[in-house]
Amino acid sequence: MDAALVGRDAVVERVWRALTSGAPVLLDGPSGIGKTALWRAVVAHAGRTGWRVLSAAPTEAETALPYAALADALRPLADALPGLPAPQRVAADMVLLTGGEHDGAVDERAVGAATRTLLDAAVTGAPRVLLAVDDPQWLDPPSARALRFALRRLTRWPAVLATHRTGDNPPAPVPLGLDDDPTGRHPLLRADVPPLTPPDLHRVLAARLGGTLSRPLTDRLARDADGNPLLAIELARAVLRLPRPPAHDEDLPVPSSLRLLLAETLRALPGPSRDAVRLAALLTVPALRDLAAAGVPAGALDAAEDAGLVVVTPSRVDFAHPRYAAAVRESIPPGARRRLHALLAGTVADPDERARHLSRCIVAPDAAVAADLAAAAARQRMRGASALAADWYARAAELTPSSAAADRNRRRLDAVQCRIDGGDYAAAGRAAEAAAGELTGAERGEALLLRALVAWCADDLVTAVRVAEQALAAAGPDGGLAGRIHTHLTMFHDQPGPARRHARAAIARLSDRDEHRPLLTAALLLLFFHEVRAGGPAPTDLLDRALSLEAGEPSFLAGSVPAIWWKSVDDHDRARSRLHLMLDLAVARGDDPLRHEVLTHLGETELLAGRFAEAGTHIAAARDLGEQLGTGLVGESWLAGVLDAHRGRLARAGAAAAALRRDDDLGDAWSRRLHHQLTGLVALASGEWVTAAAAYGALAADLDGSGIAEPLGQRFEPDWIEACVGAGDLDTAHAALDRLAGRHRRLPRPWTTLGLARSRVLLAGATGADPGAALDALTQARAAVPEAVLPLDRARCLLAAGRTYRRVRRRREARAALDAAAAEFDALGASAFADRARAELGRIGARTPAPTTLTATEERVARLAARGQTNRLIADALYISPKTVEANLARVYRKLGIASRAELGAAMGRPPGD
């Protein structure tokens, strides 16, 4: 996506809809917010779709050039000049500089009339016309008058798009009289261009400046720039010029223009007022009571308020712009700043604020100040302010005397953990590596464990395992730290064998005491998880014990394991409930890594449940957050590719599969398996049977080599069998069926039930055997799995049945199955499979069912609508999107020969149970 349009989809859609309906549109927003980028995008789209575009984008320098902008706008209509009346033709020639020499001045009234005539002729014919003006405040006055003259006299307007700068004092008038249409036929749409959110700004900054800024820094840039992309880019450039990124409680660089402006303002203030403004700028919350306690007299801020620098309310002082406070702080000399911090430290009431000021007014180690600041950091950490807590822990470590080395090292490691919690992986990795290089013994083991955790968060599993093994060697074999490291190694290891060994070692070293309970819970959950993956019976006693230990507060380390288990056995409601609980906890704690993990699992849960719209929302949110955190984007990219493949966006899905193919030297087995599965799915959806079969075969070999008998998240055997049948490799298809049957015997689940039934039908049809028994078993399997559990798998069973019926020339049954499959795929938004179902219908070569026959989905939608339910309620009840409801209702109206919901009741009869 063009970086200039990030986060603007809704505005672009709204503007384009208004223009196509004939309404003039004004893009409102302050300077730098992105109005011109949107204007250009809409103008370009109009040109691509065949509109005639009349555009002008004047600059400030052109305001003195008469008719410069009008000439730009009318130039595409120059071919119509010969048909104008003589006075208008002469005037238009002079504007466009297309005629010969003319005596006398331009007749401004004739120019206006010519403009009207040209526009009237253009909008009367084809194609559609867009009149687009960017920065109309720089229109030269004659051009502005001519355009306004013409628009007031046209009975039918072209589509009109203009930008409008807000925030001026006094406010600028609406350009071209767009709000003054005397006919009332052209109501103006004023489309606000809103500030960008931090995720969108992150993408803009990455596209413009390259690299990735940390999540906390991006949030600060968004806050200080008020979401203005132009200002955020300038601030980011200034930050990148610094020798190191500013700490969370350090100011971002102040633009030189603002620095000079504020310096002049401050110099003009009386001494008491200047001191009061400085004290207010140094306070986190400049409350009047704290300023009074610091000796600021009443009325001292009056001069600053008169100068527009601050606004004084009954309880506090607010700076007129957030950057003003930063500029004031930057202007204070270092010695004066330390004295003011000391003054505030002795007067403020809040202990955290006091500790902050104390830490800034001393330059030598001080045990008491370090302890106060560390306690304040702990409180901020509990409140979810991880970035601020990290900075305060780091400063507390700096202020800790060398004689208290244990306290200093503890605070240093706490700072690293807080940076991980806040999603600043780059800074956390650097700090952890530095600590590991300087510390010894158990403290070095902790630093290495934190470095391993950073690697795991960034999807670098190989490094995570290697560094965690080093941490274990440094920590020693026994004790609570060894238990922690073993627990993390259980999570880092992909292969069940070593993972189970580490889990058992962790459990042996951890107790159910409060300080060990979260780790013990995680070790139990991970042991359960890997026992299942190894192919053994599910040890649900481990799961039950872990859930009992956590007492409603999921483990921070492996809390998603129960949800992974429940979604693997198709208990989507329970998985969804667990994940939403974890999401709420992550948001409350400010734990972005956990939020990222949970959003990814929620995306997969909704994808399996056939709720594609919800899945797309969660996956997109996970991708945005992953980009900001600097993760490898592996899981969310795989899920996005699977969703695209289901929706028929095969090119995008194929690109996602290719991106998952990492260098084999990295040994990233997880990414490689996801690559194989997605490659197979894309090939299967494209009818490339041999490619799909090869990809699934590689996935099976990879799993076998890793000792994973039950890959809970990978349900590939039914697709592998279908690909082998399509490729004519029936021996491999039968082997894959045996593999699937083994998974079903070990752990019967709805997806294995449906997968076996579908696969046996396909194999029966391919081998020429009588498919009757297999088709009956498939019908029973579909009936055994509720509609809301696996709607896509159920519909694919119908597709398999239809294909098999067609092969044995049972055309009526084939049509019925394929028509029902297509309807169910449509309801889900699974375009790729719907297209396959219709292609199979086309091969039958006979008429489809009568148009008055409603499919099962259409009938359910129609009955709910007949009861008076809204599209949203129907969508929620059937787990489909509102757009799918609309599409089904449109087909219902067409089939039943009606035009509205009012006729549904009679057409459908009284709904059952009413």
Side-chain angles (χ1 to χ4, degrees), residues 775 798 801-820 837 840-849:
L775 287 166
L798 288 174
R803 288 177 59 188
T804 302
Y805 280 129
R806 180 183 63 79
R807 286 186 174 185
V808 297
R809 302 184 184 278
R810 292 168 60 176
R811 293 185 174 180
R812 183 177 61 82
E813 292 96 330
R815 282 196 301 271
L818 292 170
D819 187 66
E840 289 289 339
L841 277 168
R843 293 188 182 99
I844 295 175
R847 294 180 60 188
T848 55

Side-chain angles (χ1 to χ4, degrees), residues 13-190:
E13 182 179 351
R14 184 180 178 215
V15 167
W16 185 250
R17 192 165 54 243
L19 291 174
T20 55
S21 70
V25 176
L26 199 62
L27 293 172
D28 280 324
S31 295
I33 201 67
K35 303 183 298 297
T36 294
L38 280 175
W39 181 88
R40 289 173 178 165
V42 174
V43 168
H45 181 71
R48 287 194 301 270
T49 52
W51 288 42
R52 175 176 286 176
V53 177
L54 314 177
S55 66
T59 64
E60 186 175 5
E62 295 172 358
T63 56
L65 300 177
Y67 298 116
L70 185 64
D72 290 340
L74 295 185
R75 191 162 284 112
L77 304 179
D79 291 345
L81 263 61
L84 294 175
Q88 295 181 23
R89 184 176 65 253
V90 170
D93 278 335
M94 294 179 71
V95 168
L96 295 174
L97 305 177
T98 54
E101 295 293 331
H102 296 286
D103 295 329
V106 176
D107 183 341
E108 193 165 322
R109 186 162 177 253
V111 171
T115 302
R116 176 195 177 280
T117 303
L118 289 170
L119 290 177
D120 189 48
V123 299
T124 301
R128 296 198 63 174
V129 177
L130 172 65
L131 174 62
V133 181
D134 186 31
D135 285 331
Q137 72 272 15
W138 304 132
L139 282 170
D140 60 274
S143 292
R145 287 193 292 269
L147 289 169
R148 182 163 185 158
F149 176 95
L151 289 174
R152 282 185 61 82
R153 287 161 177 78
L154 285 174
T155 55
R156 182 184 175 192
W157 280 18
V160 182
L161 174 67
T163 60
H164 182 234
R165 187 175 66 197
T166 59
D168 292 340
N169 190 17
V174 173
L176 304 178
L178 296 179
D179 59 343
D180 187 28
D181 171 29
T183 69
R185 289 194 291 265
H186 310 104
L188 174 65
L189 170 67
R190 303 194 66 157

Side-chain angles (χ1 to χ4, degrees), residues 145-508:
R145 287 193 292 269
L147 289 169
R148 182 163 185 158
F149 176 95
L151 289 174
R152 282 185 61 82
R153 287 161 177 78
L154 285 174
T155 55
R156 182 184 175 192
W157 280 18
V160 182
L161 174 67
T163 60
H164 182 234
R165 187 175 66 197
T166 59
D168 292 340
N169 190 17
V174 173
L176 304 178
L178 296 179
D179 59 343
D180 187 28
D181 171 29
T183 69
R185 289 194 291 265
H186 310 104
L188 174 65
L189 170 67
R190 303 194 66 157
D192 287 326
V193 182
L196 289 179
T197 63
D200 289 335
L201 264 182
H202 180 90
R203 295 163 67 189
V204 170
L205 294 172
R208 290 291 184 89
L209 306 179
T212 300
L213 298 171
S214 71
R215 169 72 187 280
L217 182 54
T218 303
D219 287 346
R220 294 186 62 197
L221 290 168
R223 181 197 66 200
D224 282 23
D226 288 335
N228 187 303
L230 182 61
L231 180 55
I233 289 169
E234 291 308 309
L235 286 173
R237 283 178 174 148
V239 167
L240 293 174
R241 288 193 290 268
L242 296 174
R244 63 167 180 82
H248 188 77
D249 59 349
E250 293 178 343
D251 291 317
L252 299 180
V254 177
S256 57
S257 58
L258 180 59
R259 189 186 308 119
L260 293 173
L261 173 65
L262 265 294
E264 292 292 333
T265 304
L266 287 170
R267 272 196 296 269
L269 294 178
S273 184
R274 183 167 55 250
D275 291 341
V277 169
R278 286 175 168 179
L279 286 168
L282 292 174
L283 285 166
T284 303
V285 178
L288 290 180
R289 67 175 183 274
D290 288 334
L291 291 171
V296 174
L301 290 163
D302 290 350
E305 189 168 28
D306 291 342
L309 186 58
V310 298
V311 176
V312 181
T313 70
S315 62
R316 57 180 285 166
V317 179
D318 292 316
F319 282 85
H321 189 280
R323 303 301 298 153
Y324 286 1
V328 170
R329 287 190 290 269
E330 187 178 287
S331 71
I332 306 173
R337 183 184 294 199
R338 285 193 294 272
R339 288 193 298 273
L340 292 175
H341 277 303
L343 173 61
L344 291 171
T347 56
V348 295
D350 182 77
D352 291 357
E353 185 76 350
R354 177 180 177 274
R356 184 176 74 88
H357 288 295
L358 281 172
S359 71
R360 288 171 174 267
C361 68
I362 63 173
V363 293
D366 186 304
V369 173
D372 285 348
L373 190 58
R379 289 190 290 270
Q380 293 298 327
R381 185 179 185 180
M382 291 295 293
R383 295 168 188 157
S386 301
L388 181 59
D391 289 340
W392 285 7
Y393 274 128
R395 178 61 174 156
E398 292 173 1
L399 294 175
T400 303
S402 58
S403 58
D407 290 338
R408 183 187 60 213
N409 296 339
R410 178 71 269 150
R411 290 159 186 168
R412 190 175 180 181
L413 295 172
D414 284 341
V416 177
Q417 182 64 65
C418 286
R419 296 201 192 284
I420 295 173
D421 294 341
D424 193 351
Y425 296 154
R430 289 192 299 270
E433 286 178 358
E438 298 170 16
L439 302 179
T440 59
E443 290 171 339
R444 181 172 186 270
E446 285 200 59
L448 288 168
L449 177 58
L450 290 170
R451 179 62 187 90
L453 187 57
V454 170
W456 182 77
C457 289
D459 292 334
D460 185 356
L461 306 187
V462 175
T463 299
V465 170
R466 176 177 55 79
V467 177
E469 295 284 3
Q470 295 173 5
L472 188 60
D478 300 316
L481 177 58
R484 282 177 56 200
I485 298 172
H486 279 297
T487 304
H488 281 79
L489 276 165
T490 305
M491 183 172 65
F492 298 159
H493 269 292
D494 180 60
Q495 296 183 358
R500 286 184 293 168
R501 288 195 298 274
H502 284 296
R504 295 188 184 105
I507 293 169

